[in-house]
Amino acid sequence: MRKLASVQRIWKIEPIDGADRIELAYVLGWQCVVNRGQFRPMDLAVYFEIDSFLPIRPEFEFMRTSSYRKTDIMGEGFRLRTMKFRGQISQGLLLPISEFSEIAEDIEPGSDVTEILGVRKWEIEEKATTGGTVIGSLPIDVPHTDEARIQAEPDLIMDFAGLEYYISTKMDGSSHSVSIDEDGFHVTGHNYEYRDDGKSAFYELVKRDDIETGIRRYYEENNLQLLTVQGEFCAPGIQKNRLKLSRPEWYVFTVRVDGKRVGLKKMQEICDELNLQMVPIEEIGTDLPSRYPTVEALLERADGEYPKGGRKEGIVIRPTEPVYNDRISAALSMKVVNNKYLLKNED
């Protein structure tokens, strides 16, 4: 699971031009604006990632004016998002360990404190256009689609050494999947399975493109036990429609056959056979660290626009053939979110 709150070591402090009260602190691959003199290089601190939803407690009250949120689903708390101070991006929150009595003084760097501090991932409430009537949690072969961010796991770059990799465009929409198993055909969102009751816009697309017929045929002809196709559902009314689409579209980014993610070539073959469009493939290469050795190099690579002019959310990088990674306890994969997108588009 994603470490929304963790104990990390600050590896660099830099001044901000023209700022007397604030400075930059660097942790993992992120930079955060902090009070001047609050930290020194090599200090341990609690780092809260962007997209964290912090509980109501005195340590976070200084964020009430800028970050307080209250929704029916999330309740009350403080949402962390990318912000800008004196021209500098701040990506998350750093606070001294001493402010949290729950954290042991001898805690190891990298320790996950998400649960003990009551931190949750911020979830935008699904609208009627992207959801539907919930009938259960995700089926067994439909994993959550959160990718590790390179800023949170910068060492992932070196894990690509010697591997053939591909870079795909991160489409800006809502994660939706279809799958089939012995219990039948399933349509899901990011967290739940939905009923076909006329209230799901994604179900409408599945019917429009006759996706179920193709999925069932491939499943039966190949004598499979499990088949799952995951993708990004993009449409007018979803995430401000930054792709500027005139009708809903679904862009496949993962195919799983009998419980295992397939490689790029096999995914392209299956999508061609089922007449499904994939996320755009921007680049295929070898030995990623030699071409993009730093987080900064990958952030520059992630910048750009969608074909119709909207700011691109970023990129996703994977080996062309799946490789298990101990660092993230999953198949090696990482996303690089465009900083310019974060500044312009976070709500």
Side-chain angles (χ1 to χ4, degrees):
M1 293 181 64
R2 181 175 170 184
K3 293 181 182 179
L4 295 171
S6 59
V7 174
Q8 301 293 345
R9 195 173 297 282
I10 297 169
W11 57 272
K12 184 171 66 172
I13 301 286
E14 282 188 347
I16 298 174
D17 290 340
D20 297 328
R21 298 182 178 181
I22 56 175
E23 56 191 357
L24 283 176
Y26 291 82
V27 57
L28 298 172
W30 306 101
Q31 65 179 42
C32 298
V33 173
V34 298
N35 292 328
R36 190 170 185 178
Q38 187 177 25
F39 300 105
R40 294 178 298 178
M42 303 310 293
D43 278 353
L44 288 179
V46 183
Y47 172 62
F48 301 88
E49 286 196 11
I50 53 177
D51 293 333
S52 294
F53 193 57
L54 312 182
I56 300 294
R57 54 185 291 171
E59 294 86 354
F60 306 132
E61 279 298 321
F62 70 94
M63 297 188 295
R64 183 167 288 272
T65 300
S66 62
S67 305
Y68 175 78
R69 298 289 187 275
K70 182 179 180 180
T71 74
D72 291 340
I73 291 178
M74 299 299 298
E76 291 185 278
F78 303 98
R79 182 202 174 185
L80 288 185
R81 56 192 178 92
T82 303
M83 301 186 75
K84 201 170 188 179
F85 303 90
R86 292 294 185 93
Q88 293 291 337
I89 292 173
S90 186
Q91 298 170 300
L93 173 68
L94 277 171
L95 291 177
I97 294 176
S98 59
E99 293 193 12
F100 302 97
S101 60
E102 305 97 318
I103 301 177
E105 293 182 2
D106 59 349
I107 193 167
E108 292 291 323
S111 296
D112 188 351
V113 293
T114 303
E115 186 174 349
I116 66 173
L117 295 184
V119 178
R120 294 175 290 155
K121 186 178 184 299
W122 170 259
E123 299 283 354
I124 298 175
E125 295 183 26
E126 294 191 355
K127 303 174 183 177
T129 54
T130 62
T133 302
V134 173
I135 60 173
S137 57
L138 296 177
I140 189 170
D141 193 48
V142 182
H144 283 282
T145 54
D146 286 337
E147 303 279 342
R149 289 197 190 201
I150 185 58
Q151 293 98 324
E153 295 284 356
D155 290 340
L156 283 175
I157 295 174
M158 293 308 301
D159 293 342
F160 278 84
L163 299 176
E164 185 178 58
Y165 68 89
Y166 70 97
I167 297 177
S168 61
T169 306
K170 192 173 192 312
M171 309 303 273
D172 190 13
S174 179
S175 174
H176 283 268
S177 306
V178 297
S179 68
I180 188 169
D181 54 28
E182 62 181 7
D183 295 323
F185 182 73
H186 310 276
V187 169
T188 72
H190 185 67
N191 294 306
Y192 305 107
E193 181 176 355
Y194 295 110
R195 175 181 292 121
D196 180 13
D197 60 359
K199 298 180 180 179
S200 168
F202 182 61
Y203 242 122
E204 291 179 8
L205 179 143
V206 169
K207 292 182 176 181
R208 183 196 77 190
D209 295 345
D210 200 19
I211 291 174
E212 182 176 354
T213 298
I215 293 289
R216 285 187 178 278
R217 183 181 67 251
Y218 190 90
Y219 173 81
E220 293 168 359
E221 290 178 353
N222 291 276
N223 194 30
L224 303 179
Q225 295 180 332
L226 298 167
L227 176 62
T228 297
V229 182
Q230 299 185 280
E232 198 77 2
F233 178 52
C234 305
I238 297 178
Q239 300 285 47
K240 300 181 181 178
N241 191 24
R242 296 181 182 108
L243 276 74
K244 301 183 180 180
L245 299 173
S246 59
R247 70 170 197 166
E249 301 291 350
W250 188 47
Y251 301 92
V252 174
F253 53 68
T254 296
V255 174
R256 296 170 57 84
V257 173
D258 284 341
K260 296 181 179 179
R261 179 190 292 178
V262 304
L264 174 61
K265 183 178 179 181
K266 184 65 173 179
M267 180 165 59
Q268 290 171 324
E269 291 175 354
I270 292 174
C271 285
D272 285 344
E273 184 170 340
L274 300 182
N275 197 29
L276 300 173
Q277 62 180 328
M278 284 180 49
V279 292
I281 305 301
E282 299 186 10
E283 177 181 325
I284 299 176
T286 56
D287 198 19
L288 184 81
S290 65
R291 183 158 189 177
Y292 306 103
T294 64
V295 172
E296 290 74 19
L298 285 173
L299 287 170
E300 183 176 352
R301 176 64 178 80
D303 192 15
E305 296 182 341
Y306 293 118
K308 295 184 180 180
R311 179 67 68 181
K312 186 170 69 173
E313 184 177 359
I315 56 176
V316 175
I317 308 173
R318 292 176 172 177
T320 54
E321 289 297 326
V323 175
Y324 182 81
N325 184 266
D326 288 328
R327 196 182 309 279
I328 58 175
S329 301
L332 180 58
S333 181
M334 62 186 183
K335 65 182 177 184
V336 187
V337 180
N338 181 1
N339 279 338
K340 294 178 182 177
Y341 165 90
L342 289 173
L343 283 172
K344 286 184 175 295
N345 298 316
E346 282 199 332
D347 298 319

